[in-house]
Amino acid sequence: MGNETGSSARSVLWYLVFVGFAVNYMIRINSNITIVTMVRSGGAKKAQVEEGPELSSAMTLKQNQPRMYACYVERNESDVSTGASSTGGNRPAGRMRSEPNWVSPEKWLLNALQLDTKDDGFEWDEYEQGLVLGAFFWLHWLTQVPGGVLARKYGTKMVFGVANAVGCWLCFLMPLASYLDYRLLIFLRALQGLICGVSWPAMHHMAGQWIPPNERSKFVTAYLGSSVGVALFFPLFGYIISWTSWEYVFHFCGIFGTVWYVAWLYFVYDSPAEHPRIHPKEREYIESSLGITEKSKEQEREERTPWMKMIFSKAMWMTVIAQWAGIWGLFTVMTQAPSYFNYIHGWDVKMTGILSGIPHLCRMIFAYFFSMVGDYLLRHNLMSRTNVRKMGGAVCCLVNGMFVLALAYSGCDSMSAIVFLTLATMVHGAVSTGPLANIIDMSPKYAGILLGISGMITVVPGFVSPILVGILTLGNQTVKQWEYVFLITAGMLIVCGILYTLFADATLQPWNTGANEDAQDARELVSLKLDVEQAMLEKEREAAEFVQEAVTAELTDDGDNNSKDPIGAVLAR
């Protein structure tokens, strides 16, 4: 980032925000992979391919085998007829875990209390699993707008840090809650979502205080630490489950989040003015590029938030539409990918973690380079800010939708499914150059509140999508039902992407300047007018004195030649 030497405060902030969002998404997705091993084989209804006479005999031959995944018979028909089992990642789907090498603290406690340890897994059907996965988002929307408001009042350092830390600490309670009652687990997930809802809006407020306009696309890529978190944590959790047991995934989340929180408290500050170790030149560069002065800070504290103007802003609603579609697509893929690869393609838990994580790593890499292109276009005035944001929105929605459409028709072709799912998730990374950065562009002052309003609405796909998938696949884990899931997602992405591309606006909105600042501007204009009038009166007085001296010189006959030229006489004097 420009105008810096060595390790700048903005660079340190970027890395800790990056890891912070990885932590934030770690909390969201840990249940997505653990649920594959938590549920008893019979808990999820038997997955099967489309009914057909050519498959019935094969299914009869293998009725005593582990639960079949939807593409198993079609892909391994020769193995079925000979009684051989498939090898590698593609094997009959079931409760995909090995016997744990370590006994979890929860099982020690249950054994001590002589309670059921659920060694065969939990009997949760697809609908109940959908409730567990979607519960995080039930109350998530409630704290979106308060997140931006709280960040303006108390600072992002406290709001973002505490939300992530408490969310991680609740992970310690989840294994025991699962054993006691799945409804208790749902309660904890919903509580996590409520607390973590403040995170994203709060961070937008910090970006408005720290990041110069032409660096915003690059900085917002730190938000996609969420993608790298998913990419790393999905396979890591798969190996933790394989080596130990699913309970230790939640323990890891609690410990890792605590370590991050300690670093966050030490290195991060709410503004350059509060940072004790920032280089003076870097602080001067940031504050001058953002127009921050002591007067502007005082005015900001006194301003009223223009709620009605923001709510009725067309520019704001276009970003909401794009975010709605992008989040629907991202959360459908992120939440359901482990179940999809398990039930349809039959990958074991380790392979499922890897295949579910790779697309999100690609998303982060794509976002980083795409943001560099966007910032380059802005720095060299090759494209307007609005068109750069529209370009990002078109890629993260329209192009994304095309790949999801291809995924819907990939059928039992595992390689095609992996490729199209990876590409669809990857291009969503353009959101950092499109709708996400657009929010800061239209109003740096109220960016946190705007993202809160947007998040309050766009969080809905987070809990509607898992419930919809649960309803569509309840007792019917077939290729056709998953095709419907992806077709709905593709339609959402394409339609919303077209609307954003046509009507998005990234110009600074008039209501970004508050009422108090308008009054201050008026006062400054009045003061300027008075200064001008005073200067004019002074000039008129000087001119009158000049003329008076000239007349006096004309009336005085001192024998000088200049007496014939009174003006010259005055000038000579």
Side-chain angles (χ1 to χ4, degrees):
M1 299 180 184
N3 252 32
E4 59 193 45
T5 58
S7 179
S8 72
R10 301 198 307 294
S11 297
V12 174
L13 177 64
W14 189 94
Y15 286 113
L16 281 167
V17 170
F18 182 89
V19 178
F21 277 110
V23 169
N24 188 267
Y25 263 64
M26 173 185 73
I27 300 169
R28 302 184 189 206
I29 60 97
N30 50 23
S31 296
N32 300 357
I33 186 91
T34 58
I35 204 166
V36 175
T37 62
M38 292 166 70
V39 176
R40 181 178 298 179
S41 297
K45 303 301 184 287
K46 191 174 187 179
Q48 51 190 312
V49 292
E50 307 299 320
E51 289 80 6
E54 72 278 4
L55 298 178
S56 60
S57 59
M59 293 296 287
T60 302
L61 286 171
K62 297 295 289 179
Q63 61 184 352
N64 294 323
Q65 291 291 332
R67 171 170 54 82
M68 301 293 179
Y69 59 88
C71 294
Y72 178 78
V73 174
E74 182 175 327
R75 188 182 295 131
N76 299 280
E77 189 173 2
S78 59
D79 289 340
V80 171
S81 61
T82 60
S85 61
S86 63
T87 59
N90 295 78
R91 61 181 179 84
R95 183 164 175 258
M96 297 199 172
R97 61 169 293 175
S98 57
E99 287 301 314
N101 297 320
W102 299 350
V103 177
S104 67
E106 291 77 15
K107 285 205 170 182
W108 278 105
L109 180 60
L110 292 171
N111 283 324
L113 298 175
Q114 297 183 344
L115 298 175
D116 185 4
T117 57
K118 307 286 185 183
D119 290 331
D120 294 327
F122 303 106
E123 296 184 18
W124 302 340
D125 62 25
E126 286 88 348
Y127 179 72
E128 291 166 338
Q129 293 174 51
L131 293 178
V132 170
L133 296 178
F136 183 92
F137 302 97
W138 291 357
L139 302 177
H140 195 63
W141 62 275
L142 281 176
T143 48
Q144 294 290 306
V145 173
V149 175
L150 290 171
R152 282 174 62 84
K153 186 173 181 62
Y154 299 108
T156 299
K157 176 176 182 175
M158 188 187 79
V159 175
F160 186 81
V162 170
N164 270 3
V166 174
C168 289
W169 295 335
L170 288 175
C171 289
F172 287 120
L173 304 176
M174 288 187 166
L176 185 59
S178 303
Y179 283 110
L180 296 177
D181 193 318
Y182 83 97
R183 285 165 294 193
L184 185 55
L185 175 60
I186 288 175
F187 170 77
L188 289 177
R189 290 272 295 167
L191 183 59
Q192 273 185 327
L194 178 70
I195 294 170
C196 293
V198 302
S199 300
W200 284 70
M203 186 51 62
H204 251 37
H205 175 73
M206 177 173 276
Q209 303 299 310
W210 271 93
I211 309 304
N214 288 341
E215 295 181 10
R216 286 173 185 158
S217 295
K218 185 176 180 181
F219 178 80
V220 173
T221 59
Y223 293 26
L224 299 183
S226 55
S227 286
V228 174
V230 174
L232 296 178
F233 290 132
F234 262 144
L236 176 61
F237 292 165
Y239 278 98
I240 289 175
I241 292 169
S242 177
W243 294 333
T244 59
S245 63
W246 60 266
E247 295 92 338
Y248 285 99
V249 168
F250 293 102
H251 298 322
F252 172 85
C253 292
I255 295 169
F256 186 84
T258 302
V259 172
W260 169 84
Y261 183 52
V262 171
W264 176 263
L265 289 176
Y266 180 75
F267 289 107
V268 172
Y269 293 85
D270 286 310
S271 68
E274 298 177 30
H275 201 302
R277 296 179 295 275
I278 189 172
H279 194 282
K281 288 186 177 180
E282 184 184 7
R283 176 181 172 179
E284 180 183 357
Y285 167 66
I286 295 170
E287 293 185 343
S288 62
S289 64
L290 295 176
I292 297 175
T293 63
E294 291 302 321
K295 182 184 290 186
S296 68
K297 294 175 188 176
E298 185 64 31
Q299 290 170 4
E300 184 174 343
R301 284 192 288 268
E302 297 174 355
E303 281 177 358
R304 293 180 180 178
T305 303
W307 291 104
M308 297 304 293
K309 292 180 180 179
M310 287 193 290
I311 291 173
F312 288 101
S313 169
K314 184 187 79 171
M316 193 275 290
W317 282 105
M318 287 302 104
T319 63
V320 169
I321 288 172
Q323 285 282 76
W324 171 283
I327 289 176
W328 185 290
L330 179 66
F331 282 9
T332 298
V333 170
M334 181 178 68
T335 304
Q336 304 300 333
S339 297
Y340 171 70
F341 282 120
N342 179 18
Y343 292 127
I344 302 303
H345 297 288
W347 298 94
D348 63 24
V349 68
K350 287 185 286 188
M351 188 58 68
T352 294
I354 293 172
L355 294 178
S356 301
I358 287 175
H360 296 277
L361 181 61
C362 295
R363 177 175 175 249
M364 173 59 210
I365 296 172
F366 181 83
Y368 185 80
F369 287 104
F370 194 85
S371 70
M372 292 177 66
V373 172
D375 284 345
Y376 177 85
L377 294 173
L378 291 175
R379 279 197 305 270
H380 293 82
N381 296 317
L382 299 177
M383 189 180 289
S384 71
R385 193 172 300 275
T386 293
N387 286 336
V388 169
R389 302 313 178 208
K390 285 184 176 182
M391 177 182 69
V395 174
C396 76
C397 290
L398 284 173
V399 178
N400 189 352
M402 297 298 180
F403 287 133
V404 174
L405 190 63
L407 173 63
Y409 292 110
S410 63
C412 287
D413 187 341
S414 296
M415 183 57 66
S416 294
I418 295 167
V419 169
F420 289 129
L421 186 143
T422 300
L423 290 173
T425 307
M426 179 185 75
V427 296
H428 183 262
V431 70
S432 65
T433 304
L436 272 180
N438 195 348
I439 291 175
I440 307 177
D441 291 331
M442 72 173 72
S443 178
K445 189 175 296 180
Y446 301 109
I449 295 176
L450 284 175
L451 188 63
I453 296 172
S454 172
M456 185 174 66
I457 299 168
T458 58
V459 74
V460 173
F463 61 83
V464 172
S465 175
I467 293 175
L468 181 62
V469 173
I471 293 172
L472 288 173
T473 61
L474 180 61
N476 192 19
Q477 290 282 357
T478 63
V479 174
K480 193 66 178 177
Q481 295 307 107
W482 280 94
E483 181 181 310
Y484 293 147
V485 170
F486 295 130
L487 284 176
I488 292 171
T489 302
M492 196 85 67
L493 284 162
I494 292 171
V495 171
C496 294
I498 292 173
L499 290 173
Y500 181 82
T501 304
L502 292 176
F503 302 112
D505 182 8
T507 58
L508 188 68
Q509 299 300 297
W511 41 264
N512 181 66
T513 302
N516 289 341
E517 194 166 326
D518 288 338
Q520 176 66 22
D521 290 343
R523 288 193 295 271
E524 289 178 357
L525 286 173
V526 171
S527 176
L528 178 62
K529 183 179 178 182
L530 292 174
D531 290 343
V532 171
E533 290 178 350
Q534 184 177 356
M536 291 178 65
L537 289 172
E538 182 67 24
K539 291 296 182 183
E540 289 177 0
R541 187 184 61 79
E542 291 178 357
E545 291 178 354
F546 182 86
V547 171
Q548 185 178 4
E549 288 189 30
V551 172
T552 302
E554 183 179 5
L555 295 176
T556 302
D557 185 8
D558 54 2
D560 194 347
N561 290 334
N562 288 334
S563 62
K564 298 177 182 179
D565 183 8
I567 303 296
V570 173
L571 292 176
R573 294 176 186 178

